[in-house]
Structures are given as structure tokens and as C-alpha cells.
């Protein structure tokens, strides 16, 4: 499942040096993702409806200072990615942070972070399928929403099953569309803000003329961080994809290093232009019109609403595609370590964890049909809310694991690290404290945020209940693997 030299030091409790499990691939033989795939996944992997539509909610909540909310949230994500990059550059693994948590902290850590991550992406798969089905139904009224959702699930299941390269190729073009739209938006928006676009006026004063830069106060900026942090989740997909590329170490360094300007340009830059071009208190409700569509209309682009609908549909498909990839890789990695049923680790001839792909889509289908057959049951909403804190859990595990693995290294190994987090361990501690602060903000803010916190803890509690069973099966499996060579007949 992993390649490269593992960090040295005492083995974690419960670790095993047993041979790779069925379906595991210590030497990743199916390096189908090329550099351009990883580059575009890195650039466009986190650009979704949360930016094109959700940014409007943040701006209405915070005001022009929403730029600071996106900047602070991006800083937290960048630090977590840098720590993940340090571990991944020395030990490329498709299971990524799950594998590092297992090695650094023990099987329990890999179990919790891996299953929570898989659960999150199954929820995302279902959510994006529902959104995509709704968009299709809007364009083709004769098509039921549920049918559109199923069609999208079937299409991207096939894309992921064909080969790793087919996933990468589809994601390359989907991400290219998103990136192209953002680049055009940034270029034209800059000219428009400075009054250099036909029919435009100098609009920079919109940043402070309508109640000030932070009209809702400093607390709203902090509350905004708790909202925008989830917009960035998915950045780690680039590191997982890089582990299946032709040059994992190079791809991981590239993904980790470029995340900072990706955040600055795409997210912070876009939000800055929106609040500059349109007075924050005059921005339409995102349920009525997406902020990007509103701004494109101001540019004088004909059919801006339809163009943005197509772009949002592209973003939905991209997230659905990459979400299925992430869920399948994590599920397969869990099975490879004995933390999920062994059959899930099996791969097809072209290196795709086919069973994991199909198992992950089953969860998506179940959630989709529950949403349409029993919309008042609350089950679908529970799935969406209970996965809400997974991003924060992952960042904490990444920080703790990085500090643990670094402490196990010799001075020579530390000096030879190809990628390092600065000011170790203080920036790791900062990430943990920041995550704790975000949870507190969520608990004291609105009812929806509190619901996310408590339902996420329910999901964790379910994993706690099943951990003794998983641990017992894991011990039996390792005992059988250890005893196997002794019973092998000798010539």
C-alpha cells in the first residue's frame, strides 16, 4: 500500500510487519496518473459549489471581512497540508493520513480517521448526486430528480472502475473548466473593480463604504472561519492521487507547495473581487442567484445564469468523481490493514480497488433513495450533518501524527526530509488549538452548527462501539499471518 522509506523509531502498539494483505500493493505498479493529471487535480480539486454558491452566504454573514475568514481558514488548511506533505514525501501511500496515523499512533487511530473519512465522502457522493440530479431535472423537466442522480452515480462509477487514468483524465477536464472560469473571473473582475471594463466604475470603496470593512464585528469573522473551513476540505485528494502518479515524491511536493497560492488566488481572490464589485449588503440571496452569476451579469456576459449553472454542474460532477475516488482508496487502504473486510482490498487487473468503488457507491445509492423515498425521515439530513466535523478530525490527526513521527526520527533522518513543516512542533499545536476553537465557535453560534457537532460525535460513538470487534479480528488475522510460515512444508 505504501512505498518509500518509513520513518524510523519504535513501532506503534499493535503494528505488524506482516506481508501485504490481499489486494495491497507495496510497490504501486499501476502508475496511471501523469503529472498533468496531478497538477489539475491540485489546482481544481477543491473548487466546488461551496465557492461558486456558498461564498454568498459567508459574505452576507460577515461582510467584506469575509476575505479574512477565507484567509484564516486557508492558513489552517495550508499548515495541515504542509504537515501531511512532510509525511507523504517520505512515505507515499494511497491511504495517506490514515496510514500515517496507524503507523504513528496505532491501529485505533488509523481505524477512526479512515472510517470517518470514508463516511464523509459517501455522504458527499450522495449529496452531490442529489444536487446534480436536481440540475438535470431543471434542464430536462421530464426526468425525475432521482433518475438524474442515479445516472450520475452510474457514470462516475464506470469512470472510476475503468482505470486510475480514466478517473484522472475525466477529473483533468472537469477541473480545467472550473479553473478556466475562475481565471476569467479574476482577470475581468480586476479590470471591472478598477473601472477599466466597459461600463464599469471604480468600485474599490465598496470594501468600506457600507457599514465598514467588518460591519458585523470581529466575532462574525471568526464565525465565518468555522463555515469556510469546510469549503477547503478535499485538498488532501491531491496527495492521495500523487501517490498513484508516475513520480509520487514530486507530485506530493507539488501538491503541498502549490496549495497556498491556490487558496490565495482562487478563494481569497474571488471573494475579494465579489465584495469589491458588489456592495456586500446588495448581494442576492444565493438561493435566488449565485454570487458568481450575479457578478458575471454585471460584466455584461449574456446568458450568465445559464453559464454558471453549467459551471456549477461541472463542479458537482468533479466533486462526485473525486469523492468516489477518495472514498474507494480509503476503504481499500483500511481493508489492506485489516481495519475493514479483506475483500474490499481486492483490485482489478488495472489496479483499481473495484470492490471498494462499488461498496462506496452503494452507500451513495442508499442515501439518495432514502432522501427521495422518505424525505421527512431526517435520515439524509443526519448523514449530511454527522459527517460535518470530519475535516476538523482529520486536521487534528494529521497534526498529532506528524509531531509523533518527527519525534521518532533520528537527527539524520530529520535533516534528509524533502519537505518540512516550519517551527516544529509549534505550528502543529497551533492547528490543534485552532480546530478546538472552531468547534467551540460552532457550539455557541447557531442551531445548525451545534447539530453538526453533536451528530458528528454520534458517528464517532458508533465507531467506538465497533472498535473492540475490529481489534479482535485484526489480532486473529495477524496471528494467522504470523503462524502461516511455520506451517508451510519444507522441501
Amino acid at each position: 500500500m505504501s512505498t518509500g522509506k518509513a520513518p524510523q523509531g519504535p513501532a506503534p502498539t499493535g503494528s505488524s510487519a506482516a506481508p501485504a494483505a490481499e489486494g495491497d500493493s507495496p510497490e504501486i505498479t499501476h502508475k496511471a496518473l501523469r503529472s498533468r493529471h496531478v497538477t489539475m487535480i491540485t489546482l481544481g480539486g477543491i473548487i466546488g459549489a461551496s465557492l461558486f454558491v456558498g461564498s454568498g452566504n459567508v459574505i452576507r454573514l460577515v461582510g467584506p471581512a469575509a476575505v479574512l475568514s477565507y484567509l484564516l481558514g486557508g492558513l489552517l488548511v495550508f499548515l495541515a497540508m504542509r504537515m501531511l506533505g512532510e509525511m507523504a514525501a517520505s512515505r507515499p501511500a494511497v491511504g495517506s493520513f490514515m496510514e500515517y496515523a496507524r503507523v504513528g499512533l496505532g491501529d485505533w487511530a488509523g481505524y477512526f480517521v479512515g472510517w470517518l473519512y470514508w463516511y464523509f465522502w459517501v455522504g458527499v457522493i450522495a449529496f452531490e448526486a442529489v444536487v446534480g440530479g436536481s440540475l438535470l431535472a431543471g434542464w430536462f423537466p421530464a426526468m425525475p430528480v432521482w433518475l438524474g442522480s442515479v445516472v450520475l452515480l452510474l457514470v462516475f462509477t464506470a469512470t472510476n472502475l475503468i482505470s486510475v487514468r480514466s478517473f484522472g483524465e475525466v477529473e483533468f477536464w472537469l477541473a480545467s473548466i472550473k479553473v478556466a472560469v475562475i481565471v476569467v473571473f479574476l482577470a475581468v473582475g480586476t479590470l471591472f473593480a478598477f473601472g477599466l471594463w466597459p461600463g464599469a466604475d471604480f468600485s474599490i470603496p465598496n470594501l468600506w463604504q457600507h457599514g465598514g470593512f467588518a460591519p458585523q464585528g470581529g466575532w462574525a469573522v471568526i464565525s465565518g472561519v468555522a463555515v469556510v473551513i469546510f469549503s477547503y476540505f478535499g485538498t488532501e485528494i491531491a496527495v492521495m492521487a500523487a501517490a498513484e502518479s508516475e513520480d509520487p515524491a514530486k507530485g506530493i511536493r507539488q501538491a503541498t507547495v502549490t496549495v497556498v497560492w491556490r487558496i490565495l488566488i482562487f478563494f481569497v481572490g474571488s471573494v475579494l473581487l465579489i465584495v469589491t464589485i458588489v456592495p456586500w449588503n446588495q448581494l442576492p440571496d444565493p438561493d435566488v442567484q449565485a454570487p458568481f452569476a450575479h457578478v458575471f451579469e454585471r460584466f455584461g456576459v449574456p446568458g450568465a445564469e445559464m453559464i454558471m449553472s453549467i459551471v456549477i454542474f461541472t463542479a458537482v460532477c468533479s466533486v462526485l468523481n473525486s469523492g468516489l475516488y477518495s472514498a474507494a482508496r480509503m476503504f481499500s487502504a483500511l481493508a489492506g490493514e485489516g481495519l475493514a473486510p479483506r475483500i474490499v482490498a481486492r483490485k482489478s487487473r488495472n489496479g483499481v480497488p473495484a470492490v471498494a468503488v462499488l461498496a462506496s457507491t452503494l452507500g451513495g445509492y442508499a442515501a439518495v433513495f432514502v432522501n427521495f423515498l422518505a424525505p421527512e425521515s431526517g435520515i439524509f439530513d443526519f448523514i449530511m450533518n454527522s459527517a460535518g466535523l470530519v475535516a476538523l478530525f482529520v486536521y487534528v490527526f494529521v497534526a498529532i501524527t506528524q509531531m509523533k513521527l518527527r519525534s521518532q526520527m533520528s537527527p539524520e533522518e530529520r535533516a534528509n526530509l524533502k519537505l518540512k513543516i516550519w517551527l516544529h512542533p509549534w505550528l502543529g499545536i497551533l492547528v490543534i488549538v485552532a480546530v478546538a476553537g472552531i468547534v467551540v465557535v460552532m457550539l455557541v453560534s447557531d442551531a445548525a452548527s451545534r447539530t453538526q457537532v453533536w451528530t458528528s460525535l454520534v458517528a464517532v460513538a458508533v465507531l467506538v462501539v465497533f472498535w473492540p470487534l475490529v481489534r479482535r479480528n485484526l489480532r486473529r488475522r495477524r496471528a494467522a499471518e504470523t503462524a502461516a510460515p511455520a506451517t508451510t512444508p519444507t522441501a
Side-chain angles (χ1 to χ4, degrees):
M1 184 173 70
S2 60
T3 60
K5 186 175 183 295
Q8 298 299 310
T13 303
S15 64
S16 173
E22 180 183 2
D24 214 10
S25 182
E27 70 300 334
I28 304 172
T29 56
H30 295 276
K31 299 290 188 184
L33 292 179
R34 295 178 176 173
S35 178
R36 66 183 178 89
H37 295 140
V38 175
T39 298
M40 196 52 67
I41 292 170
T42 301
L43 289 175
I46 58 174
I47 301 174
S50 59
L51 173 60
F52 293 123
V53 180
S55 56
N57 289 321
V58 180
I59 292 170
R60 289 163 63 88
L61 172 70
V62 182
V67 175
L68 297 181
S69 297
Y70 275 93
L71 192 60
L72 291 172
L75 174 63
L76 176 61
V77 174
F78 171 61
L79 293 178
M81 278 292 292
R82 184 79 184 190
M83 288 184 285
L84 176 58
E86 176 182 301
M87 296 181 288
S90 59
R91 184 190 177 98
V94 176
S96 190
F97 45 86
M98 183 282 293
E99 170 67 0
Y100 310 136
R102 187 191 68 81
V103 172
L105 304 176
D107 292 319
W108 68 271
Y111 164 79
F112 277 99
V113 73
W115 274 102
L116 283 172
Y117 189 75
W118 178 81
Y119 179 62
F120 169 83
W121 280 113
V122 169
V124 169
I125 290 167
F127 178 76
E128 299 297 336
V130 170
V131 173
S134 299
L135 289 170
L136 287 174
W139 297 332
F140 308 101
M143 174 184 289
V145 176
W146 68 265
L147 179 59
S149 300
V150 170
V151 168
L152 288 176
L153 283 170
L154 289 173
V155 167
F156 289 104
T157 299
T159 299
N160 276 264
L161 283 175
I162 293 171
S163 68
V164 178
R165 179 167 294 177
S166 68
F167 154 76
E169 199 65 36
V170 169
E171 192 60 27
F172 174 84
W173 291 108
L174 291 174
S176 296
I177 294 172
K178 296 186 292 182
V179 171
V181 170
I182 296 290
V183 170
V184 170
F185 180 83
L186 293 173
V188 177
T190 301
L191 294 175
F192 194 96
F194 283 94
L196 302 177
W197 188 258
D201 296 319
F202 184 75
S203 59
I204 304 298
N206 281 333
L207 290 172
W208 60 81
Q209 280 187 342
H210 302 273
F213 182 65
Q216 309 289 6
W219 179 252
V221 176
I222 303 301
S223 299
V225 175
V227 177
V228 305
I229 192 68
F230 301 104
S231 301
Y232 292 122
F233 200 50
T235 308
E236 73 293 330
I237 294 174
V239 176
M240 298 174 72
E244 289 193 278
S245 66
E246 295 168 342
D247 187 347
K250 177 184 176 182
I252 288 167
R253 288 196 300 273
Q254 180 186 57
T256 305
V257 171
T258 59
V259 69
V260 63
W261 64 262
R262 222 184 340 148
I263 288 171
L264 288 173
I265 294 178
F266 291 155
F267 279 85
V268 180
S270 295
V271 172
L272 177 60
L273 282 176
I274 291 172
V275 297
T276 300
I277 294 170
V278 184
W280 73 274
N281 53 359
Q282 296 178 24
L283 198 67
D285 188 315
D287 292 335
V288 176
Q289 186 180 40
F292 275 72
H294 183 71
V295 174
F296 269 115
E297 277 189 355
R298 292 208 170 196
F299 293 164
V301 176
E305 194 73 38
M306 176 56 71
I307 291 172
M308 283 312 303
S309 293
I310 295 172
V311 172
I312 291 170
F313 180 72
T314 300
V316 165
C317 291
S318 173
V319 175
L320 182 56
N321 186 43
S322 58
L324 183 51
Y325 171 86
S326 300
R329 266 55 186 183
M330 185 58 73
F331 206 6
S332 177
L334 281 165
E337 296 299 340
L339 301 173
R342 184 179 298 213
I343 189 174
V344 178
R346 289 183 179 174
K347 295 182 179 180
S348 61
R349 291 186 213 172
N350 51 14
V352 173
V355 177
V357 169
L358 294 173
S360 298
T361 56
L362 288 178
Y365 284 118
V368 166
F369 283 114
V370 164
N371 180 55
F372 291 113
L373 295 177
E376 304 300 325
S377 67
I379 296 175
F380 186 78
D381 290 336
F382 175 82
I383 293 173
M384 296 301 103
N385 285 320
S386 61
L389 291 191
V390 168
L392 301 180
F393 292 150
V394 167
Y395 296 150
V396 168
F397 271 107
V398 167
I400 295 175
T401 303
Q402 182 273 329
M403 290 188 286
K404 177 72 172 180
L405 292 180
R406 177 80 79 90
S407 69
Q408 294 176 345
M409 293 181 181
S410 67
E412 181 182 0
E413 288 170 331
R414 293 173 194 164
N416 290 332
L417 283 173
K418 298 176 182 177
L419 200 65
K420 288 184 180 180
I421 183 68
W422 314 278
L423 301 177
H424 172 81
W426 300 111
L427 289 182
I429 295 173
L430 175 63
V431 169
I432 296 171
V433 172
V435 167
I438 290 172
V439 173
V440 171
V441 169
M442 293 178 71
L443 284 171
V444 301
S445 55
D446 56 85
S449 296
R450 287 193 293 274
T451 299
Q452 276 198 319
V453 173
W454 295 119
T455 52
S456 294
L457 292 178
V458 170
V460 173
V462 171
L463 289 177
V464 170
V465 170
F466 281 98
W467 169 238
L469 176 63
V470 173
R471 180 175 55 189
R472 183 165 60 250
N473 289 338
L474 184 60
R475 287 174 177 171
R476 288 175 181 170
R477 172 176 170 173
R478 287 177 175 165
E481 289 172 347
T482 303
T487 58
T488 301
T490 56

